[in-house]
Amino acid sequence: MNASLAGRPDLMAGRTSLTLAEGMSGMSENVFINVKNKSKTISAELDIPEGGANGVVLAQGGRFGGWCLYLKDGKPTYTYNYLNLDHYTIRSPEALPKGKSKLVFEFAYDGGGLGKGGTGTLSVDGRKLAEGRIDKTQPNVFSADETADVGIDDATPVVAGIGQGDETRFTGKIEKVTIEVK
């Protein structure tokens, strides 16, 4: 299931970054940068309207495994869903203010094998907002039919409690999202 481990051809092989735009959705694991078993950084340039924003910035996977960077009650949040058995959530205590901001989530993978954990850090405009531990990660696949989506979580939700389908649509503006792996 993991092309890099199986030695299969991979559309993203060798790429260390991928830049996405609002509205890009339905990207299967075979056409999305492989974030499994490595450190990653997600940088999102957002424009928050008066009254704040909610919804998905970037999600990959679904109810039975994946991850999601989103705003809930205007607060930046990252949730890692491990096979729908364990959920690890890192959430800012404060909402993003009106206007443009750069939201960054960094995951420092522990290494030492497949499916290990790491530390996640949320920051905005270079200021650390929250940090937390993700004890384990999925080593091979998130789903055979779930996708990666910008600005919405299109199929089954990675995160319970933020809605499903159109209910997860980001209510601000996403200028761009860049995901980098190390």
Side-chain angles (χ1 to χ4, degrees), residues 2-71:
N2 187 333
S4 65
L5 293 176
R8 275 193 335 268
D10 182 354
L11 181 64
M12 294 289 166
R15 290 193 68 164
T16 57
S17 71
L18 179 66
T19 299
L20 306 161
E22 188 166 10
M24 294 178 78
S25 64
M27 296 173 280
S28 71
E29 286 190 51
N30 290 328
V31 298
F32 193 78
I33 196 162
N34 185 358
V35 299
K36 293 175 284 298
N37 307 305
K38 52 187 86 168
S39 296
K40 71 180 176 194
T41 301
I42 303 167
S43 302
E45 294 180 19
L46 307 175
D47 193 354
I48 307 300
E50 186 72 44
N54 286 298
V56 171
V57 174
L58 179 60
Q60 183 179 28
R63 179 178 176 196
F64 298 102
W67 53 268
C68 186
L69 178 64
Y70 58 102
L71 270 61

Side-chain angles (χ1 to χ4, degrees), residues 22-23 44-49 52-59 68-77 96-97 99 101 103 149-154 162 165-177:
E22 188 166 10
E45 294 180 19
L46 307 175
D47 193 354
I48 307 300
N54 286 298
V56 171
V57 174
L58 179 60
C68 186
L69 178 64
Y70 58 102
L71 270 61
K72 183 172 182 180
D73 300 324
K75 297 175 181 177
T77 309
L96 291 182
S101 60
L103 175 63
D149 307 295
V150 180
I152 193 168
D153 190 350
D154 238 353
I162 63 167
D166 276 342
E167 296 171 327
T168 67
R169 190 173 302 280
F170 189 69
T171 59
K173 177 145 179 59
I174 301 171
E175 302 290 339
K176 71 177 180 177
V177 180

Side-chain angles (χ1 to χ4, degrees), residues 48-118:
I48 307 300
E50 186 72 44
N54 286 298
V56 171
V57 174
L58 179 60
Q60 183 179 28
R63 179 178 176 196
F64 298 102
W67 53 268
C68 186
L69 178 64
Y70 58 102
L71 270 61
K72 183 172 182 180
D73 300 324
K75 297 175 181 177
T77 309
Y78 178 91
T79 296
Y80 193 96
N81 174 347
Y82 179 80
L83 300 169
N84 204 31
L85 298 172
D86 293 307
H87 298 81
Y88 304 97
T89 298
I90 301 163
R91 186 169 193 208
S92 168
E94 60 188 72
L96 291 182
K98 175 185 183 263
K100 294 185 184 285
S101 60
K102 184 175 182 179
L103 175 63
V104 176
F105 174 76
E106 293 181 86
F107 177 66
Y109 187 64
D110 289 341
L114 304 177
K116 303 299 181 187

Side-chain angles (χ1 to χ4, degrees), residues 94-148:
E94 60 188 72
L96 291 182
K98 175 185 183 263
K100 294 185 184 285
S101 60
K102 184 175 182 179
L103 175 63
V104 176
F105 174 76
E106 293 181 86
F107 177 66
Y109 187 64
D110 289 341
L114 304 177
K116 303 299 181 187
T119 301
T121 306
L122 280 168
S123 62
V124 66
D125 298 326
R127 186 172 54 89
K128 184 167 131 179
L129 299 173
E131 185 175 273
R133 180 86 188 139
I134 296 169
D135 290 332
K136 52 192 164 196
T137 59
Q138 291 177 221
N140 295 315
V141 67
F142 292 116
S143 172
D145 60 354
E146 297 280 1
T147 60

